[in-house]
Amino acid sequence: MIYKVKKQTKAIRTQTPQTHFREHSTPLFLTSSFTFETAEQGKALFDETEQGNLYSRFSNPTVQEFVDKVCMLEDCEDGVATATGMAAVFASFAAILQAGDHIIASRALFGSAHQIITQILSKWNITHTYLDASAPEEDWEAAVLPNTKMVYVETPSNPGLELVDMAMIGRLCKKHGLIFNVDNCFATSALQNPAEFGAHLVVHSATKFMDGQGRVLGGVVVGTKEHIKPLRFFCRQTGPSMSPFNAWVLSKSLETLDLRMEKHCANALELAEALEKLPEIKQVNYPFLSSHAQHELAKQQMSAGGAIVTIDLEGGFERVCAFMKALQIPSLSSNLGDTRTIVTNPYTTTHSKLKPEEKENLGITEGLIRISVGLEAVEDLIEDFTQAAQVSAEMLVSQ
Ligand SMILES: *Cc1c(COP(=O)(O)O)cnc(C)c1O
């Protein structure tokens, strides 16, 4: 482009160079391998005197287009795409950490990230310290050991919607020479860019809001050239590559990410505000509600509150069942980040494998409901959640 345009324009206008067919939408290179025009070219491509595609485990034009867009949206130099978000999280650890290293992480992590840290990295003598996302700077500072290599955080957290102060962690990592790694799946690049706060690596489950329509799995890690280099080697050799088909779907989806996130966040805020007024709901949690414990920090580091709202209901699992039965519109699913509103009870689904005291620590009560607010008309959502809260409360009273 000849002049500086905004990210949204670039997200729509970045694509694989047009082929001789003069296609308008981006082409899909659904191919496992690429041919050499001559034996000499095969040699040159392998000894890297010539750059080009060889095999889709290493690189693919459609996958590269998706990676280029995410790099641009996250203000990062380089990146790799993976088959799932978890492959991206795992690669960001396994490509960089060595036996004997130590990692500091916020306690409230996506379930599988917690399993990787406690069950898999531990096999290779990589130890960890967990801290509350909202822990003060002294606590993070005190957790740094001589062998600490990385700080890994999710902000906002799932499902507690606790925030980590990214500017503070960025300073800490700079001071101690640590790698700052952020899972930015919940907020997306539309609401916050961790690289702005000094993150070296930014991980996404593209399955969620990047796709935004519940169709494909995908993951991506973007960051500085220096930190992506070992990840590229790791992915090329171990093979968690993204399918070109999924990359094509995801790249098209990024054209509407800003637009979708704007509506997701507006719906979420309006729903949260309406639910907060209901006496039948014990508590509503959303970063852009003034009642959120870290509302000020949320406004500093996020441009909107995100699409996830949680509510706490009195009456345990029985009440949860009645509430979910009464809801007419939302889907019951453990996924999130869809055009369709989704509800789940983390206590019995996504976080069911945690011990009772771990759940308590993370504020995951029996009555907690996580709402991934979709793009339906918000008036309909408010009406539906209101009647479900009332109907389920009446059922409890009548028992
Ligand atoms: C879903 C999710 C992941 C894992 O992504 P997959 O694509 O399901 O492998 C990681 N982190 C967060 C915050 C998520 O919500």
Side-chain angles (χ1 to χ4, degrees):
M1 299 232 178
I2 50 168
Y3 51 91
K4 202 166 158 37
V5 296
K6 297 213 172 2
K7 281 183 182 179
Q8 178 54 20
T9 307
K10 281 197 210 159
I12 288 178
R13 291 286 163 182
T14 299
Q15 84 179 49
T16 309
Q18 203 172 44
T19 73
H20 65 282
F21 289 116
R22 292 176 289 100
E23 70 282 358
H24 189 200
S25 177
T26 195
L28 164 53
F29 291 94
L30 196 58
T31 177
S32 53
S33 57
F34 300 84
T35 55
F36 316 130
E37 278 165 6
T38 59
E40 288 86 341
Q41 189 187 31
K43 177 175 183 298
L45 285 165
F46 267 86
D47 68 22
E48 293 182 29
T49 50
E50 183 179 333
Q51 297 299 315
N53 297 299
L54 291 167
Y55 187 54
S56 287
R57 167 152 50 81
F58 310 162
S59 68
N60 173 284
T62 312
V63 175
Q64 192 57 42
E65 176 186 298
F66 168 68
V67 171
D68 288 346
K69 279 191 191 176
V70 180
C71 287
M72 183 274 295
L73 292 170
E74 284 287 15
D75 290 320
C76 287
E77 293 171 340
D78 202 359
V80 290
T82 53
T84 66
M86 283 326 301
V89 172
F90 181 65
S92 77
F93 295 156
I96 286 175
L97 300 175
Q98 300 187 13
D101 284 345
H102 171 253
I103 169 170
I104 301 172
S106 49
R107 193 186 312 279
L109 294 180
F110 186 71
S112 294
H114 168 72
Q115 298 297 340
I116 288 177
I117 289 174
T118 56
Q119 309 293 324
I120 299 177
L121 296 186
S122 60
K123 290 199 299 185
W124 302 318
N125 192 27
I126 296 166
T127 55
H128 70 278
T129 301
Y130 277 155
L131 288 173
D132 288 338
S134 55
E137 188 161 1
E138 310 86 85
D139 293 13
W140 290 89
E141 183 84 47
V144 179
L145 301 175
N147 59 336
T148 304
K149 173 96 58 88
M150 181 183 281
V151 178
Y152 176 72
V153 303
E154 270 177 41
T155 179
S157 69
N158 173 29
L161 303 179
E162 254 187 291
L163 269 58
V164 176
D165 183 341
M166 289 192 286
M168 181 265 283
I169 302 291
R171 278 197 307 276
L172 182 89
C173 287
K174 195 163 179 193
K175 179 173 162 195
H176 295 280
L178 310 176
I179 298 169
F180 183 16
N181 186 358
V182 180
D183 181 332
N184 199 24
C185 164
F186 261 45
T188 80
S189 58
L191 308 189
Q192 67 185 18
N193 296 128
E196 222 178 274
F197 302 94
H200 304 99
L201 293 170
V202 182
V203 175
H204 282 276
S205 166
T207 314
K208 310 295 168 54
F209 296 100
M210 282 192 177
D211 173 35
Q213 290 147 88
R215 300 164 300 182
V216 299
L217 294 165
V220 60
V221 189
V222 293
T224 67
K225 270 198 162 51
E226 176 195 345
H227 294 91
I228 292 298
K229 198 173 168 205
L231 268 122
R232 172 158 299 108
F233 173 80
F234 179 85
C235 291
R236 181 174 168 139
Q237 308 310 330
T238 64
S241 327
M242 174 179 276
S243 148
F245 177 77
N246 289 4
W248 183 85
V249 171
L250 291 165
S251 183
K252 290 301 285 179
S253 274
L254 288 181
E255 295 186 16
T256 56
L257 180 68
D258 259 23
L259 180 69
R260 287 184 286 109
M261 289 313 292
E262 217 176 288
K263 181 68 174 163
H264 274 297
C265 296
N267 275 4
L269 179 61
E270 230 181 291
L271 180 66
E273 283 172 345
L275 299 185
E276 206 175 30
K277 295 194 189 96
L278 295 182
E280 294 86 356
I281 294 178
K282 192 163 79 180
Q283 209 200 334
V284 179
N285 197 11
Y286 183 67
F288 267 44
L289 282 181
S290 53
S291 58
H292 189 279
Q294 295 166 291
H295 181 56
E296 283 309 310
L297 176 62
K299 283 196 301 187
Q300 271 168 37
Q301 66 184 26
M302 300 170 76
S303 62
I308 310 295
V309 176
T310 64
I311 58 176
D312 209 350
L313 298 174
E314 216 121 31
F317 189 56
E318 238 181 309
R319 172 81 188 282
V320 168
C321 294
F323 180 78
M324 291 206 178
K325 194 170 170 202
L327 283 173
Q328 308 276 313
I329 297 172
S331 318
L332 311 189
S333 168
S334 58
N335 197 19
L336 59 94
D338 198 303
T339 51
R340 300 161 179 213
T341 296
I342 296 171
V343 293
T344 194
N345 175 233
Y347 195 91
T348 53
T349 61
T350 52
H351 292 71
S352 59
K353 294 201 177 58
L354 298 188
K355 297 185 192 91
E357 61 273 21
E358 288 176 320
K359 291 185 196 175
E360 196 185 310
N361 237 326
L362 297 175
I364 302 173
T365 59
E366 275 186 289
L368 189 74
I369 294 190
R370 185 185 75 190
I371 310 167
S372 170
V373 182
L375 304 181
E376 299 96 340
V378 70
E379 298 80 1
D380 295 337
L381 294 176
I382 291 171
E383 191 180 340
D384 195 23
F385 278 92
T386 302
Q387 65 79 24
Q390 289 164 349
V391 167
S392 60
E394 280 159 22
M395 276 170 107
L396 281 186
V397 173
S398 67
Q399 271 172 4

